[in-house]
Amino acid sequence: MTLLRINALVGFVAESRTERVLWLDPLGRGGFLIDLDDGAAMPVFRSSEEIDRLRSDALLADVADDPWLAPLAEATIPEGHRTRRDAAWALIRPLVVEQPDIFHPDRRATLVRQLGAEMGSNRFTLYRLLRRFWQRGMSPNALLPDYDRCGGRGKAKAVSEKKRGRISATGIAGVNVDADMRRLFRDTVTRHFAVNRRLDMAGCYDELINDHFTDLRLDEDIGRQKAVIRADLPTLRQFRYWFEKDNDVFRIERQRRTARVYDKDLRALLNTSTSEVFGPGSRYQIDATIADVYLVSRLNRLRIVGRPVLYVVIDVFSRMITGLYIGFEGPSWVGAMMAIANAATDKGTYCRSFGIEIGEADWPCRHMPDRLLGDRGEMIGSAVETLIRNFHVEIENTAPYRADWKGIVEQRFRLLPAKFRAYTPGYIEEDFQQRGARDYRLDGTLDIDEFTAIVIQCARYYNTQHLIRGYPRDAEMIAEEVRAIPIELWEWGVARRSGQLRAYPPDLVRQSVLPSDDATVTPHGIRFYGCFYTCAKAMAEHWFDRARQRGSWTVRVSYDPRCLNEVYLHGTDGGRIRFVPCVMTDRSAAYRDRTLWEIDQVRQEERRVHNVHQPQALQGRIDLMQSVKDIVATAEAKHAAAPAEVSSDHGKLKGIRDNRRQERRENQEREAFRFGSLPAKTSPGGKVVPIVPQPPAEDYSLPTAAEIRALLAKGPDDDGQR
């Protein structure tokens, strides 16, 4: 049978139908699938022969884009939605675990009837929730309510006799704005607001009322007609609302201020993670340790940056290292999520980024586990809830001071360094605290990328060559002569045991486990940790123009601390969270391909240089101030000593033009460019006679025409030269 994966989508080309894989027979006889779009669908068994035939006829294709798998952050789900989801999950959970009985119609009916009697629930409700759970990804988040599909998103409410909107606090009832009134609004904006930049919105509203909502009536007191406002008129708030909804406000602002002024003052400024497991993937263990190696900075290799943190994710069944992370983030969720994301992504791409080429069969680990065992400090928090809800991963925590509960991964921290400690400069030996021992910090030579490459090579050796002593092989393994090498255990387990590894799109996994924080929208871009970013969504919605005109605001972004070239903006699409990639602008080019830790180091160095320079800058400002004062004092003294030619102020002002003309003439004489020898001006004090005779100045002036003719007539000299 063609290899399928649980929760994968397959498309039936002839019927234009997509089905989700719910369960696969361990013996390879087939599996249960369900139509993704049919509102009355139920699981259908498809044999392996049918699947193979459809694939061979090109009538069955894998579907990569799952419309129901989205990284939903637990904190962003409203409390009411979470309550309904948890209640629905508690209702159908006893049914979901009854596999494969729940997929057979007759057995399913019996289970639903029994549970309905126990829980007092309607069987139609149970069927509806089961169908939703299966169709939408088989995770608790599939049971979230569809409130985003209610109402008419993006459509204006129909006009009726009942007033729409809230009651006005000003006492003005207002009117229902229909299509005709919206045309009046647009017409007023075009004729008045767009062409008169001195007119504000309130003034434009007054023009609207004057043009379309007043009647001329005779005022008997003054004997003239007077404009009287009607009772049924729109409010200023309504006018503002429909102005922003029906008009391109940025185009109008550009028209109001002219393109030159808008581009100059208002445009956006960018530029700049064996008995209790059944097979591979049943349980992973994750742990971290501080590596006993001192590293140097990638930016300045003479700068020692300390010891990195090493995270390892390992499969309990096969002892396969499925994920790695080496960084400077302390043991925390930030480092753990990096290792978990690495465990669920393709290792060929990961190794290639460190200059190591491997094949798919060398490290075939890119799956999410059923259970993940880690430390309480890292596996507790809202970020872990996101991992649970999005990928249906059961998180297990060890008790305090019980590292033996995850001894498999702990043992890796002894095996890995044993392969490279003898060859790695900066490795800390056991005598580092003894008197007279060498300071191993001074031996640091490797940077973070080079040390990561070493650890990757050690992990590859362990996965593919290391024979595990004392591994509890069962009768089947012994009969089939399976060696206790992690990759052979993994491949045997996939073929003979679980065979149902759960794979998800790498981007979805990364986005779900990435840490998030607030960023600020500014005229220069989306500012995050001193770097600036932009994206198509921000440009299309004029975020940066709005930030310059109306002030900054905060948005939520997710980021990868290992490289800040991109951050991921939290957006929505049909009520579901989508991540919008934001790229770094040229304004932050100096921070490209840098980790968050390295960027922080650069910024700290910049602050240090700035602080060190402050005394020198202050002294320079004091010197400048004193120089200016001295020049001014000299000028004032000369001014006071100058003889007064004209006594009155009027006389001083009268000759400004003549004085300017004379001063300009003298400046021209003094500033003129002169080439060649010029007669020196005789100083009033007399003639200066040099003590040492000076050689005569050479004449570089061009000969005259007469001199040239005389030279030609003279003819060549004795050497044949002219």
Side-chain angles (χ1 to χ4, degrees):
M1 176 181 177
T2 302
L3 180 63
L4 294 178
R5 300 191 304 271
I6 298 292
N7 209 36
L9 298 181
V10 293
F12 292 78
V13 179
E15 296 88 351
S16 299
R17 184 177 72 255
T18 302
E19 295 187 0
R20 185 183 300 277
V21 180
L22 303 179
W23 180 84
L24 294 173
D25 184 11
L27 300 179
R29 294 172 296 188
F32 282 96
L33 292 80
I34 190 171
D35 194 325
L36 211 63
D37 301 317
D38 189 354
M42 279 294 161
V44 176
F45 183 82
R46 298 192 180 277
S47 66
S48 59
E49 291 80 5
E50 178 185 3
I51 297 295
D52 292 338
R53 176 178 54 80
L54 290 173
R55 280 199 184 276
S56 62
D57 295 340
L59 297 177
L60 188 69
D62 295 328
V63 178
D65 187 15
D66 193 329
W68 294 108
L69 287 180
L72 294 176
E74 190 71 10
T76 63
I77 302 176
E79 180 65 28
H81 293 201
R82 295 200 301 265
T83 301
R84 293 179 64 90
R85 176 200 64 193
D86 295 342
W89 175 239
L91 191 61
I92 68 169
R93 186 173 183 177
L95 296 174
V96 171
V97 298
E98 295 293 335
Q99 297 184 10
D101 291 349
I102 192 64
F103 300 121
H104 295 275
D106 52 347
R107 304 175 195 173
R108 180 170 59 246
T110 301
L111 292 171
V112 169
R113 183 167 56 252
Q114 293 175 352
L115 182 63
E118 295 175 3
M119 306 292 291
S121 178
N122 189 295
R123 64 186 180 92
F124 297 105
T125 300
L126 295 176
Y127 277 117
R128 176 177 57 84
L129 293 177
L130 280 173
R131 183 181 300 111
R132 173 178 292 186
F133 177 80
W134 290 330
Q135 289 178 332
R136 300 188 180 185
M138 298 192 295
S139 68
N141 276 343
L143 304 175
L144 286 169
D146 287 338
Y147 290 152
D148 58 287
R149 297 187 174 185
C150 299
R153 179 182 296 272
K155 299 180 181 179
K157 293 184 178 180
V159 179
S160 63
E161 296 180 357
K162 184 178 179 180
K163 172 68 175 64
R164 295 173 300 177
R166 70 180 186 183
I167 300 176
S168 175
T170 62
I172 302 176
V175 296
N176 280 327
V177 178
D178 54 16
D180 293 335
M181 190 173 295
R182 289 168 64 180
R183 279 195 296 270
L184 295 180
F185 289 177
R186 293 193 295 269
D187 177 70
T188 303
V189 168
T190 302
R191 292 192 299 109
H192 297 285
F193 188 75
V195 298
N196 188 356
R197 67 185 182 89
R198 294 185 296 271
L199 189 67
D200 59 6
M201 188 59 61
C204 186
Y205 172 75
D206 294 341
E207 293 286 354
L208 170 72
I209 301 302
N210 182 63
D211 292 347
H212 303 289
F213 295 93
T214 58
D215 295 321
L216 292 176
R217 296 181 184 176
L218 180 64
D219 189 340
E220 298 178 355
D221 295 335
I222 61 176
R224 289 184 298 177
Q225 287 185 332
K226 181 180 179 181
V228 180
I229 301 176
R230 301 174 189 170
D232 52 344
L233 73 159
T235 64
L236 175 59
R237 183 172 176 270
Q238 289 177 309
F239 182 66
R240 289 182 183 273
Y241 173 82
W242 289 108
F243 165 75
E244 296 185 356
K245 196 169 186 66
D246 287 347
N247 296 278
D248 186 346
V249 296
F250 298 98
R251 181 190 61 79
I252 293 176
E253 189 65 22
R254 186 183 183 91
Q255 182 179 350
R256 278 164 56 85
R257 296 178 177 268
T258 72
R260 178 180 60 83
V261 176
Y262 186 92
D263 291 340
K264 179 174 69 73
D265 298 331
L266 301 176
R267 66 177 173 85
L269 301 177
L270 300 177
N271 284 339
T272 295
S273 141
T274 298
S275 61
E276 300 176 349
V277 295
F278 183 73
S282 295
R283 176 184 283 120
Y284 285 178
Q285 291 183 1
I286 181 172
D287 201 8
T289 188
I290 300 177
D292 292 332
V293 179
Y294 277 93
L295 304 181
V296 297
S297 173
R298 293 194 306 170
L299 306 176
N300 184 353
R301 301 191 71 91
L302 299 179
R303 185 182 303 166
I304 302 173
V305 297
R307 299 157 60 187
V309 177
L310 170 62
Y311 266 92
V312 173
V313 182
I314 193 168
D315 176 63
V316 175
F317 176 83
S318 65
R319 309 296 199 266
M320 189 89 161
I321 295 177
T322 60
L324 286 174
Y325 171 65
I326 299 95
F328 292 105
E329 288 78 20
S332 64
W333 170 250
V334 175
M337 69 91 182
M338 297 292 185
I340 295 171
N342 180 262
T345 56
D346 176 58
K347 299 304 184 296
T349 304
Y350 171 68
C351 295
R352 198 173 300 117
S353 63
F354 295 96
I356 302 173
E357 291 292 337
I358 66 171
E360 175 69 20
D362 295 333
W363 203 345
C365 304
R366 52 184 181 89
H367 311 87
M368 291 296 288
D370 294 331
R371 294 181 295 278
L372 180 62
L373 176 63
D375 290 327
R376 292 176 58 85
E378 302 157 1
M379 297 291 112
I380 292 180
S382 58
V384 181
E385 289 295 319
T386 301
L387 186 67
I388 297 173
R389 302 303 179 185
N390 284 336
F391 305 105
H392 198 186
V393 177
E394 183 178 347
I395 300 299
E396 300 173 336
N397 296 298
T398 59
Y401 306 103
R402 291 303 304 271
D404 56 301
W405 285 15
K406 47 184 176 63
I408 295 176
V409 68
E410 294 282 352
Q411 184 72 359
R412 301 293 80 74
F413 296 134
R414 184 182 66 84
L415 293 176
L416 289 177
K419 301 303 177 184
F420 64 77
R421 61 185 298 175
Y423 315 104
T424 305
Y427 191 91
I428 302 175
E429 297 292 345
E430 297 178 354
D431 64 346
F432 76 99
Q433 288 184 333
Q434 296 179 7
R435 188 174 184 179
R438 178 176 178 79
D439 192 346
Y440 297 103
R441 294 174 295 183
L442 301 175
D443 295 337
T445 304
L446 303 173
D447 62 21
I448 187 68
D449 290 346
E450 294 161 344
F451 180 67
T452 301
I454 291 177
V455 175
I456 291 176
Q457 296 286 17
C458 293
R460 290 182 58 200
Y461 165 79
Y462 176 80
N463 286 342
T464 60
Q465 304 295 332
H466 181 71
L467 184 64
I468 305 174
R469 295 184 179 181
Y471 182 85
R473 295 189 300 164
D474 58 19
E476 293 180 77
M477 294 181 183
I478 297 174
E480 298 185 22
E481 299 181 352
V482 178
R483 296 182 299 176
I485 297 175
I487 194 168
E488 295 189 15
L489 295 173
W490 175 278
E491 294 174 348
W492 183 89
V494 170
R496 298 289 188 268
R497 290 292 180 86
S498 60
Q500 302 176 4
L501 298 171
R502 299 186 300 156
Y504 293 90
D507 289 340
L508 177 68
V509 177
R510 286 194 294 267
Q511 292 168 357
S512 297
V513 300
L514 287 177
S516 61
D517 206 344
D518 288 333
T520 304
V521 181
T522 71
H524 304 290
I526 303 174
R527 186 178 68 237
F528 184 72
Y529 277 97
C531 303
F532 292 89
Y533 301 85
T534 184
C535 64
K537 175 182 175 67
M539 295 296 295
E541 298 180 4
H542 301 276
W543 282 17
F544 311 120
D545 303 70
R546 186 182 293 115
R548 190 174 187 189
Q549 301 170 28
R550 306 179 187 177
S552 302
W553 70 95
T554 60
V555 293
R556 198 72 176 175
V557 299
S558 294
Y559 63 99
D560 186 344
R562 298 172 300 179
C563 183
L564 287 188
N565 287 353
E566 285 188 352
V567 296
Y568 304 91
L569 179 69
H570 292 198
T572 57
D573 183 12
R576 295 187 176 271
I577 293 180
R578 301 295 182 190
F579 284 71
V580 181
C582 301
V583 297
M584 186 180 290
T585 66
D586 291 338
R587 182 180 289 269
S588 304
Y591 298 134
R592 284 201 177 104
D593 302 324
R594 302 301 180 190
T595 66
L596 177 61
W597 184 87
E598 289 173 336
I599 292 176
D600 184 65
Q601 291 296 306
V602 173
R603 297 180 64 190
Q604 288 184 19
E605 180 64 18
E606 292 174 350
R607 288 192 293 267
R608 186 193 66 80
V609 172
H610 176 78
N611 294 334
V612 169
H613 182 68
Q614 283 305 303
Q616 181 181 350
L618 177 59
Q619 183 64 51
R621 294 196 300 270
I622 297 300
D623 294 342
L624 172 62
M625 180 179 63
Q626 188 61 45
S627 299
V628 173
K629 289 182 178 180
D630 292 344
I631 296 173
V632 172
T634 302
E636 290 177 345
K638 292 180 180 179
H639 184 77
E645 298 177 355
V646 181
S647 58
S648 64
D649 293 342
H650 176 72
K652 294 178 180 179
L653 298 175
K654 184 177 180 180
I656 290 180
R657 181 172 298 176
D658 294 336
N659 297 339
R660 177 183 178 89
R661 187 181 300 111
Q662 181 179 355
E663 187 73 14
R664 183 173 66 247
R665 189 178 302 116
E666 293 181 2
N667 281 344
Q668 290 174 349
E669 179 66 21
R670 184 182 61 183
E671 297 171 355
F673 293 104
R674 295 179 176 87
F675 303 93
S677 59
L678 294 175
K681 291 186 177 180
T682 304
S683 64
K687 183 178 181 180
V688 177
V689 179
I691 298 176
V692 180
Q694 301 295 321
E698 296 182 6
D699 186 6
Y700 293 98
S701 60
L702 297 174
T704 64
E707 292 173 340
I708 295 176
R709 288 196 296 270
L711 182 64
L712 293 174
K714 182 179 179 182
D717 55 14
D718 297 339
D719 296 330
Q721 303 290 331
R722 288 187 180 274

